[in-house]
Amino acid sequence: MQSWNAPEVPEIEGPGLAPRVHDTAAGGVRELAGSGGRAGLYVCGITPYDSTHLGHAATYVAFDTLIRAWRDAGLEVTYVQNVTDVDDPLLDRANETGVDWQDLAQAEIGKFRGDMEALRVIPPNHYVSVVDSVDLVVSAVSEMLRTGSAYVVGDDVYADLSADSLIGSIGHLDDAEMDRLFAERGGDPETPGKRHPRDPLLWRGRREGEPSWPGGDLGEGRPGWHIECAAIAKANLDIPFTVQGGGYDLVYPHHEMSTSHLREVTGRQHPAESFVHTGLVGYAGHKMSKSRGNLVFVSQLLDDGVPADVIRLTLLAQHYRTDWEYTTSQLYAAARRWQRWQDAAHLAGDADESATIAEIRAAIADDLSTPAAVAVVDAWAARPGRGKAVIGAVSALLGVSI
Ligand code: ZN
């Protein structure tokens, strides 16, 4: 499906650095240099039943920073993002509000595109709707049934996780923790007939009042959550790909399960080479969540007249892996910083800034340490005799226009 317009990313002088980034599965920082001059990235997309809040924006800006670093290092990046445009939360919201689920999805996807474009987030090469990918899911689930890694329960199909000895190798969680998170995050441990309480749904047979699609031998129905990302990744990326990414709350069950399904349908033990997860953003004492209603929407901030660069700088002032709580004073601080940088850019001359640009690159290559990169630009802005070459580097590497 259509994504959004790409921001201008200026070329900057000198060699960029392949970033070292924290890999959840490895439990440490490692160089992510792709292979053969190419990197593949899959970042889980939104379920379009509400607007983009700052937690989403922080995640997509973090992966945007990774893409900018890769491109600066000369890598060709293939970036895939899905849209979960049919799922229980979307259907529930549509039912509650009396809006057609497709109209709700289209409206929210439209807003998301606008928010991402305003924030100068580089669009995915493949922006893929789940509704448009039902055939891919049907063939993946059918393949899993053929190989015995899936089984039928009534009208539904479930994955048999006992077929996968590597399940659990991303999050390294114990059974009690997986039980808790599975139930909390969309799982159905109590469904009768399952071989294991944590086996995830692959295909949900048609129910009265729910949208459904032809499933061939599976019968009519709709995709489960995790299999959609496996099917979309397989169709749009070379396997193995470099990074599977998303918010930290996707580690389990979503990434553990979708990677397991991808193993089953590709035969590759490690279809994603690394797993990068962003911290969670809180507001007013709790993690920002739709269910709690403590959301700060990007579109609302933009409507209130906050420049997108200020929103982006608010996010970049935090390290992507740290959980943090948003306050309006951070927004004001970012606005003052942006003004200082603009004033400094106005008065910049022709001094050589290759050392400053190298420092910005080094900060970002060190586990995407945008707060350190921002501090380098602060020092540049405070220094007399500064050179204007930094302006292009700020735009290319941080996505901020000054
Ligand atoms: Zn996903």
Side-chain angles (χ1 to χ4, degrees):
M1 75 196 300
Q2 183 202 340
S3 58
W4 55 89
N5 293 318
E8 197 188 323
V9 181
E11 293 276 328
I12 46 178
E13 276 180 38
L17 296 167
R20 293 172 57 79
V21 182
H22 187 270
D23 172 11
T24 305
V29 173
R30 55 187 287 207
E31 185 172 282
L32 299 183
S35 64
R38 298 160 64 89
L41 171 67
Y42 188 102
V43 178
C44 292
I46 56 162
T47 300
Y49 69 98
D50 217 338
S51 299
T52 321
H53 59 69
L54 278 184
H56 296 131
T59 292
Y60 298 115
V61 165
F63 289 103
D64 187 57
T65 306
L66 173 62
I67 292 168
R68 287 166 183 269
W70 270 339
R71 283 171 47 160
D72 183 49
L75 272 73
E76 191 184 318
V77 182
T78 304
Y79 175 25
V80 179
Q81 189 183 130
N82 66 301
V83 186
T84 304
D85 52 357
V86 58
D87 200 9
D88 293 342
L90 171 68
L91 300 175
D92 291 347
R93 177 64 62 91
N95 281 336
E96 286 159 25
T97 53
V99 177
D100 179 81
W101 66 274
Q102 288 162 299
D103 292 344
L104 175 62
Q106 285 313 312
E108 294 302 342
I109 293 166
K111 270 199 246 174
F112 178 72
R113 287 190 184 109
D115 292 344
M116 292 295 107
E117 189 167 324
L119 290 173
R120 302 179 81 211
V121 172
I122 294 172
N125 303 86
H126 304 282
Y127 190 46
V128 186
S129 142
V130 170
V131 167
D132 291 344
S133 308
V134 172
D135 288 352
L136 298 175
V137 172
V138 169
S139 65
V141 176
S142 304
E143 171 71 11
M144 289 175 70
L145 278 170
R146 259 195 306 278
T147 59
S149 56
Y151 58 95
V152 173
V153 178
D155 291 336
D156 306 331
V157 183
Y158 281 83
D160 184 346
L161 295 186
S162 70
D164 182 4
S165 63
L166 289 171
I167 192 86
S169 58
I170 303 168
H172 310 288
L173 302 169
D174 62 26
D175 273 318
E177 186 76 348
M178 288 192 283
D179 281 342
R180 184 178 70 78
L181 293 175
F182 185 80
E184 218 174 88
R185 296 174 179 167
D188 58 343
E190 308 207 326
T191 299
K194 284 168 62 171
R195 294 178 188 169
H196 189 285
R198 294 196 302 263
D199 284 348
L201 179 74
L202 295 171
W203 184 254
R204 178 174 164 89
R206 183 175 175 279
R207 305 288 201 277
E208 199 52 49
E210 290 185 9
S212 60
W213 290 264
D217 292 345
L218 306 179
E220 269 198 43
R222 61 180 168 98
W225 176 26
H226 317 301
I227 189 68
E228 70 188 44
C229 286
I232 291 169
K234 184 187 174 201
N236 292 284
L237 286 167
D238 291 335
I239 308 290
F241 57 98
T242 318
V243 169
Q244 167 82 61
Y248 193 76
D249 52 354
L250 293 184
V251 172
Y252 191 88
H254 185 56
H255 285 168
E256 203 80 69
M257 303 295 189
S258 59
T259 304
S260 173
H261 304 338
L262 200 48
R263 263 195 288 278
E264 298 300 338
V265 296
T266 64
R268 302 293 295 243
Q269 289 219 315
H270 298 286
E273 290 166 346
S274 49
F275 294 84
V276 175
H277 294 106
T278 55
L280 306 179
V281 182
Y283 181 57
H286 295 279
K287 176 204 156 188
M288 255 183 225
S289 73
K290 288 171 182 171
S291 50
R292 200 176 281 277
N294 60 333
L295 302 175
V296 177
F297 295 115
V298 172
S299 53
Q300 187 61 54
L301 293 174
L302 293 169
D303 286 351
D304 290 346
V306 179
D309 284 303
V310 170
I311 301 173
R312 190 158 171 129
L313 263 182
T314 305
L315 303 174
L316 293 172
Q318 307 292 331
H319 189 256
Y320 78 96
R321 275 201 291 130
T322 311
D323 290 343
W324 56 286
E325 183 160 324
Y326 168 75
T327 62
T328 48
S329 64
Q330 293 161 351
L331 199 65
Y332 289 122
R336 288 193 298 272
R337 170 173 277 136
W338 191 49
Q339 188 61 55
R340 279 199 309 276
W341 289 11
Q342 285 181 307
D343 293 346
H346 262 300
L347 298 171
D350 292 323
D352 175 26
E353 292 289 2
S354 49
T356 309
I357 294 170
E359 275 186 71
I360 297 171
R361 279 178 164 142
I364 292 171
D366 177 16
D367 199 17
L368 311 179
S369 298
T370 54
V374 163
V376 173
V377 183
D378 281 343
W380 165 82
R383 200 169 57 224
R386 71 192 79 82
K388 57 178 179 276
V390 169
I391 300 168
V394 168
S395 172
L397 296 171
L398 295 176
V400 173
S401 174
I402 54 174

